[in-house]
Amino acid sequence: MPTNSNEKIYKIINARLLINHEIVENSYLWYKGGKIIHPQSLFFDHHRDADEIIDAKGLLVVPGFIDTQINGAYGIDFADYEDSVETIKKNINIVAKGLLKYGCTAFCPTIVSSSPEVYEKVLPLLNARKGTAQGAEILGAHVEGPFISVEKKGAHKQSVFRDAKEGMADFDKAYGPELIKGKSSVAIMTVAPEIAGVSDTIPELVKRGITVALGHSACRIAEAESAVINGATSITHLFNAMQAFHHRDPGLIGVLGAAELPIPASSIGHPEPSSTSPCRNKPDPRPFFGLICDGVHVHPNSIRIAYYSHPRGAVLVTDALSAMGLPEGEYTLGGCELQIDKNGAAYIKGTSTLAGSTITIDESVRNFQKFTNCTAVEAIEAATLHPAKLLGIEHQKGTLNVGADADFIFLDDSTGELHVKDVFVAGEKVIF
């Protein structure tokens, strides 16, 4: 990995590092030029030592959190296109900066079902871009809809829903020229596989580098499994906006129990094997699944069942609204009026329909550990390694391996819970 020999070399000491699914005590982490490096080359090739020592004082040092589904925060909605381009850019930067204090160093800004003019204006502003100490990295947008089910629409505007009877042409019409860029523009796309033409188009979407997720769907188990075979690798906010589990036809939720799916030829974009995998030493063919761990969207017992069914597939998401970081009150998501109650739960105004959350990613990690009784490592990896693997970027995100981006956080676990103390993006400490 080429680096500038004049760049400053940093060494973190007195750290407990999360490496290869384990906490390594009293270890060192070296980085240079925004990348994690191996010290051996410094000693033997460049005859150099660290230029600056950072004392972690016994704290956990782990990869930065990744949120693959977040609609906005601080009064800002990523689907709001009516402001000027400069104002929208400024608002995106406000959210990117604000997320850092929760340990979120990379995210997929999410746009709910919208009209073509919204995507045409907003998607170019949400293209993948590197993170800095001034803002979390954007990994490309998550477009949630409009190829979804009326029956499971949630807070989405039904008037913009579409089908794909003309295949890829319908997707290009819906999202515009940005879709041709693939994952640099659209990292994740949520679709309902039972919508006409959608499942058959999944292979073409995957060829463009887009991660296809299944959600807002009333599909049956056969339709869900067919979509996974076609290339879908994720389920959007498991349990929410989908058919309830039924023992005769478990629907989309039932994919977590699938045992006959073909084993992936490559590990890229697929969960690592676990004790519940169809094959214990090959990539798991079952999709990843997003979980909103606010205690409102999904009961803790359901979180626990999903986790123990498919532990390496769990991906923590906030699905946070523009009201994240703000007090209770009325807000807007994609033109829909919402009411946030005193517990942070978000509902379509005047109804009992959940519309998203106001939880932060660090709180999601704490809740997940509490709900499942999993280890700290397992909870952290559900917000780091798993989303990185979902997006096929685990070589640069979600780990502290040599060559990965130097996006990491210091966590204090002295109380038994994980709390963010310091945040580094591209090796630079964030000043709050």
Side-chain angles (χ1 to χ4, degrees):
M1 180 182 62
T3 60
N4 186 333
S5 60
N6 295 321
E7 290 176 323
K8 197 171 183 179
I9 298 169
Y10 296 85
K11 178 184 179 182
I12 299 176
I13 64 172
N14 297 323
R16 292 182 293 139
L17 302 180
L18 173 51
I19 301 286
N20 294 327
H21 310 304
E22 294 181 341
I23 300 297
V24 181
E25 302 280 344
N26 299 315
S27 192
Y28 305 138
L29 185 70
W30 299 73
Y31 66 93
K32 170 187 174 185
K35 296 283 186 179
I36 296 170
I37 60 172
H38 196 293
Q40 182 174 322
S41 63
L42 299 176
F43 301 141
F44 296 102
D45 297 341
H46 302 292
H47 308 289
R48 291 183 63 185
D49 203 342
D51 299 304
E52 184 174 331
I53 304 295
I54 300 172
D55 189 349
K57 300 180 180 179
L59 295 175
L60 285 172
V61 179
V62 308
F65 298 142
I66 301 170
D67 191 353
T68 58
Q69 186 177 6
I70 175 170
N71 304 285
Y74 308 108
I76 295 160
D77 176 5
F78 295 128
D80 186 354
Y81 76 108
E82 294 178 348
D83 289 326
S84 69
V85 168
E86 289 307 312
T87 297
I88 295 173
K89 286 181 178 179
K90 180 181 177 181
N91 288 341
I92 293 168
N93 291 338
I94 289 171
V95 176
K97 174 66 174 178
L99 293 180
L100 293 175
K101 73 176 181 178
Y102 307 115
C104 180
T105 57
F107 69 110
C108 293
T110 304
I111 305 176
V112 295
S113 299
S114 299
S115 59
E117 56 262 35
V118 175
Y119 298 118
E120 182 179 357
K121 185 172 183 179
V122 175
L123 281 180
L125 310 179
L126 299 175
N127 279 197
R129 72 180 192 193
K130 287 294 184 182
T132 69
Q134 300 306 311
E137 179 162 341
I138 294 178
L139 300 171
H142 178 165
V143 289
E144 187 184 3
F147 295 88
I148 60 175
S149 166
V150 170
E151 188 178 343
K152 298 295 178 182
K153 64 182 181 180
H156 291 236
K157 286 196 299 184
Q158 182 177 331
S159 61
V160 300
F161 286 8
R162 306 176 73 116
D163 60 44
K165 293 177 181 177
E166 300 299 322
M168 198 67 196
D170 283 321
F171 284 88
D172 285 327
K173 288 176 185 176
Y175 300 113
E178 286 294 301
L179 195 62
I180 297 174
K181 295 181 181 178
K183 64 181 179 181
S184 67
S185 175
V186 175
I188 305 174
M189 181 186 294
T190 293
V191 298
E194 73 274 22
I195 301 301
V198 165
S199 191
D200 290 340
T201 311
I202 289 174
E204 293 183 67
L205 293 167
V206 172
K207 283 181 182 178
R208 294 194 187 184
I210 297 167
T211 296
V212 177
L214 308 177
H216 285 275
S217 168
C219 70
R220 301 298 186 183
I221 182 62
E223 293 167 316
E225 290 187 341
S226 178
V228 172
I229 291 170
N230 283 345
T233 54
S234 184
I235 300 173
T236 294
H237 45 51
L238 185 72
F239 298 113
N240 299 117
M242 60 188 64
Q243 295 281 41
F245 183 88
H246 190 280
H247 59 284
R248 292 195 183 93
D249 190 321
L252 186 50
I253 298 169
V255 178
L256 270 65
E260 303 297 330
L261 294 170
I263 301 298
S266 168
S267 63
I268 297 174
H270 296 281
E272 295 179 353
S274 71
S275 61
T276 69
S277 297
C279 181
R280 306 284 175 87
N281 57 8
K282 293 182 179 180
D284 199 314
R286 296 173 296 174
F288 288 96
F289 55 94
L291 288 172
I292 306 172
C293 288
D294 60 357
V296 177
H297 278 75
V298 184
H299 192 281
N301 291 5
S302 299
I303 297 282
R304 192 176 303 115
I305 288 170
Y307 173 67
Y308 282 106
S309 171
H310 185 16
R312 294 286 174 88
V315 174
L316 302 185
V317 299
T318 62
D319 195 22
L321 304 170
S322 57
M324 193 195 89
L326 298 176
E328 64 178 295
E330 296 181 4
Y331 301 94
T332 301
L333 172 64
C336 183
E337 295 299 316
L338 307 177
Q339 179 72 43
I340 310 299
D341 68 15
K342 63 182 180 181
N343 298 316
Y347 300 91
I348 296 176
K349 187 177 178 180
T351 77
S352 60
T353 301
L354 281 166
S357 83
T358 58
I359 197 172
T360 57
I361 193 68
D362 59 327
E363 188 178 0
S364 300
V365 172
R366 289 191 291 272
N367 284 348
F368 184 68
Q369 186 176 12
K370 180 169 63 177
F371 294 167
T372 64
N373 197 32
C374 70
T375 66
V377 168
E378 291 168 316
I380 293 165
E381 289 189 339
T384 56
L385 178 61
H386 296 183
K389 288 187 70 66
L390 166 66
L391 295 171
I393 57 173
E394 67 269 28
H395 61 288
Q396 66 188 81
K397 301 290 183 188
T399 76
L400 298 180
N401 294 339
V402 172
D405 292 342
D407 297 347
F408 51 85
I409 57 180
F410 288 9
L411 295 176
D412 181 357
D413 62 344
S414 60
T415 64
E417 291 189 329
L418 300 166
H419 291 276
V420 177
K421 292 300 179 183
D422 286 307
V423 179
F424 293 75
V425 181
E428 184 178 355
K429 184 176 180 179
V430 178
I431 305 300
F432 296 109

